[in-house]
Amino acid sequence: MSSPSIDELISLVPTANLIGDRWQEAETSAELPVIDPATEVAIAKIPDSSDADVDRAVRAARAALPSWATLTPRQRSERLMALADALESDLRTMSDLETIDAGHPTGVVSGEITSGADRLRFYAGAGRTLEGRAAGEYAPGYTSMIRREPIGVAGLITPWNYPILTAITKVAPALAAGNTVVLKPSEQTPLTALRFAVLAHEILPAGVLNVVNGRGSTAGAALVTHPDVDIVSLTGGTVTGREVSRLAANSLKRVLLELGGKAPAIVLDDADAAATASALRYSAFWNAGQDCSAATRVIVTPGIYDELLEHLARQVASIAVGDPRDPTTDMGPLTYDAHRDRVLGFIERAVDEGGTVHIGGGRRSGAGYFLEPTIITGVAQSSAIVQSEVFGPVITLHRVPDLDEAVAAANDVEYGLGASVFTHDIGKAMEASRRLDFGTVWINDHGAVSAEMPWGGFKQSGHAKERSIYALEEYTRIKHVMVKLP
Ligand code: NAD
């Protein structure tokens, strides 16, 4: 079977907003281009929606809320299960759309779609288990009980790095808990969210899932400030998180923030250098390093430093960078031009500050936003490439004397999302995991996730949990009902 052309793929995606029971053009005719990052060609246009479009979507979500919230958990679960089945049936189209929109290689992108289906199924089941703690008599003459209720209309705002997977990670618990949704995908990568809305339109009651396209500063901000949106969940940069918190403050809505990361990987002398280098190849360069949990700072004790660097350089040199449509490609382009330039800027500045590019460091000639996978050594802890989220295929290697210094360096950034430690000494591993100021700590691996386990950051990485039962609870409110006994 030959691959569909870009025109054929785009014809499967309505480039409009899904509001209530129909696809609607935006109020103004302003549009935003969708660029294929491997070719730099504009492949579609989406509406640059205004406050009025967002308002229409919020009203549709509000109208759908009473009947969706009062379905039984089983009835909502059946619809989420059907949506998971539809998503899997659409696997090839969804994968191809993510490849042309975000540049994710065709050989691996289907895993993002099947993970999305898995998260839908997880929340379809988990939504049926929601409960309050014990009912009982806590004051003389009264029985108390706890109800967990949906919060209301959820405004969900997603980034461009895992477009469909992040959207589903928010939509699934929000819907399972009985909320209705207005989703605003990233303006950089809207296609799979729109395709998902096509599937949902066939399965969910009208208005339960609405999708509004547009920029963050306009459509996104309109969603955050809307008085009839009860909860906002953002995955995005830390600067955006601060702005969203500020914008949400007037209406005092609940805000869930999943923000940037700057993950350290600590490698101790007794670690297996070859296995560690192999793990870091994937965790640092998966999705061209455009991953909030990417292992970006490799902090190494002296006894293994040279051996690890040698293995790592061999691993990194074996990464096949190229056309994401080629099934042998490991790493595609970065997702958009300004971001590619920003990552290059970090590399140049690191070199100006005395760093050494051990491997990579440049862009690929020709079209597309491609960068070479890069290892940099010899940079100071205070340098921008160590302190800031680079979000590209770049790691820095640091030599430290011992575990204490390793933990100190690891914690010495404003972020606190993911971290790892590689060692065969279980005592040291547990000690490090206790002292690392990060929401997830892996031991002898970096980056593995599952729907059942929570994900979320500390410090400037945000303060919410996604995945797991904890995320479901984030989308509920607790009500105490107290009955006076006769
Ligand atoms: P971004 O902050 O630029 O945009 C994220 C979303 O927010 C987009 O939909 C954007 O349109 C919207 N937005 C921007 N300004 C807004 C505003 N003022 N009001 C409302 N919405 C607004 O982030 P990005 O560049 O799309 O994504 C990359 C960032 O996301 C990185 O920092 C990465 O670490 C982070 N991220 C975090 C996680 C996590 O789980 N913590 C996961 C993936 C990505």
Side-chain angles (χ1 to χ4, degrees):
M1 201 172 65
S2 65
S3 302
S5 68
I6 286 187
D7 286 346
E8 283 166 334
L9 283 169
I10 295 297
S11 72
L12 300 171
V13 181
T15 44
N17 297 326
L18 177 62
I19 296 180
D21 62 355
R22 60 196 179 89
W23 290 93
Q24 300 187 19
E25 299 301 326
E27 205 195 38
T28 73
S29 56
E31 291 180 315
L32 301 167
V34 178
I35 311 280
D36 178 344
T39 60
E40 305 184 30
V41 171
I43 52 177
K45 287 181 181 155
I46 53 161
D48 186 4
S49 305
S50 65
D51 291 15
D53 301 309
V54 170
D55 182 56
R56 281 208 300 249
V58 173
R59 279 192 276 127
R62 178 61 58 186
L65 183 63
S67 52
W68 181 251
T70 49
L71 289 181
T72 63
R74 174 177 168 174
Q75 289 169 321
R76 287 196 293 266
S77 168
E78 285 166 353
R79 284 160 177 80
L80 293 179
M81 287 289 196
L83 194 49
D85 292 345
L87 183 66
E88 273 183 347
S89 302
D90 205 47
L91 182 68
R92 198 60 266 156
T93 298
M94 276 285 180
S95 301
D96 288 345
L97 285 169
E98 208 74 297
T99 297
I100 61 171
D101 196 3
H104 294 191
T106 193
V108 296
V109 66
S110 61
E112 294 168 33
I113 317 301
T114 52
S115 292
D118 178 54
R119 287 180 197 180
L120 280 165
R121 292 194 178 104
F122 173 76
Y123 284 109
R128 301 178 67 176
T129 70
L130 269 180
E131 57 182 2
R133 301 225 169 100
E137 289 67 50
Y138 300 97
Y142 291 89
T143 290
S144 285
M145 62 197 89
I146 298 293
R147 294 172 54 85
R148 269 202 183 269
E149 300 181 342
I151 294 177
V153 173
L156 308 181
I157 303 177
T158 52
W160 49 262
N161 64 326
Y162 293 109
I164 190 59
L165 186 55
T166 313
I168 292 174
T169 302
K170 294 184 187 303
V171 167
L175 294 186
N179 305 278
T180 54
V181 163
V182 178
L183 169 67
K184 194 209 79 68
S186 168
E187 57 273 40
Q188 304 289 348
T189 53
L191 298 183
T192 44
L194 288 166
R195 180 69 188 164
F196 183 68
V198 170
L199 307 179
H201 193 30
E202 298 292 314
I203 292 167
L204 299 175
V208 167
L209 174 70
N210 307 274
V211 179
V212 180
N213 296 281
R215 285 172 291 141
S217 56
T218 50
L223 196 53
V224 175
T225 51
H226 200 294
D228 224 12
V229 171
D230 304 291
I231 173 170
V232 164
S233 176
L234 165 80
T235 296
T238 294
V239 171
T240 307
R242 290 190 192 114
E243 176 67 0
V244 163
S245 292
R246 205 181 57 76
L247 291 174
N250 269 350
S251 51
L252 285 181
K253 50 179 60 88
R254 191 180 294 189
V255 177
L256 310 180
L257 298 176
E258 291 289 344
L259 308 176
K262 188 72 193 173
I266 294 176
V267 186
L268 300 182
D269 280 357
D270 71 329
D272 178 332
T276 304
S278 168
L280 293 176
R281 173 196 203 268
Y282 290 98
S283 55
F285 298 99
W286 189 262
N287 196 15
Q290 300 168 123
D291 187 315
C292 51
S293 67
T296 57
R297 302 179 288 138
V298 185
I299 301 170
V300 194
T301 49
I304 192 174
Y305 183 94
D306 292 337
E307 189 190 357
L308 182 73
L309 181 55
E310 201 182 308
H311 280 287
L312 205 48
R314 213 174 301 132
Q315 286 283 351
V316 172
S318 75
I319 295 173
V321 182
D323 183 354
R325 292 161 186 77
D326 179 341
T328 64
T329 292
D330 296 319
M331 196 180 109
L334 275 71
T335 298
Y336 65 101
D337 53 353
H339 180 58
R340 186 266 319 271
D341 296 344
R342 183 177 170 277
V343 175
L344 265 178
F346 274 111
I347 297 172
E348 284 160 14
R349 197 166 150 197
V351 172
D352 289 345
E353 289 174 356
T356 302
V357 173
H358 195 80
I359 187 166
R363 49 188 291 184
R364 214 181 65 157
S365 59
Y369 311 132
F370 295 93
L371 275 187
E372 295 169 333
T374 299
I375 301 176
I376 297 181
T377 55
V379 282
Q381 177 70 20
S382 57
S383 62
I385 201 161
V386 177
Q387 292 294 325
S388 308
E389 183 179 46
V390 175
F391 222 54
V394 183
I395 55 178
T396 54
L397 232 70
H398 308 264
R399 194 193 294 262
V400 291
D402 54 27
L403 176 61
D404 280 350
E405 296 271 337
V407 170
N411 286 338
D412 179 27
V413 290
E414 66 172 7
Y415 300 103
L417 195 51
S420 60
V421 56
F422 291 80
T423 174
H424 285 124
D425 183 328
I426 187 68
K428 285 185 177 163
M430 295 312 295
E431 174 64 6
S433 67
R434 187 181 66 76
R435 288 163 57 193
L436 284 165
D437 213 0
F438 294 81
T440 295
V441 177
W442 292 278
I443 296 173
N444 290 326
D445 198 9
H446 188 118
V449 295
S450 74
E452 292 83 353
M453 287 294 113
W455 175 252
F458 302 157
K459 294 157 68 177
Q460 300 299 301
S461 292
H463 48 55
K465 291 296 176 212
E466 288 202 316
R467 309 181 203 138
S468 78
I469 200 83
Y470 299 104
L472 190 62
E473 292 177 352
E474 299 265 27
Y475 289 96
T476 66
R477 61 184 190 183
I478 291 173
K479 181 182 284 175
H480 170 207
V481 179
M482 203 168 190
V483 186
K484 186 164 173 35
L485 302 173

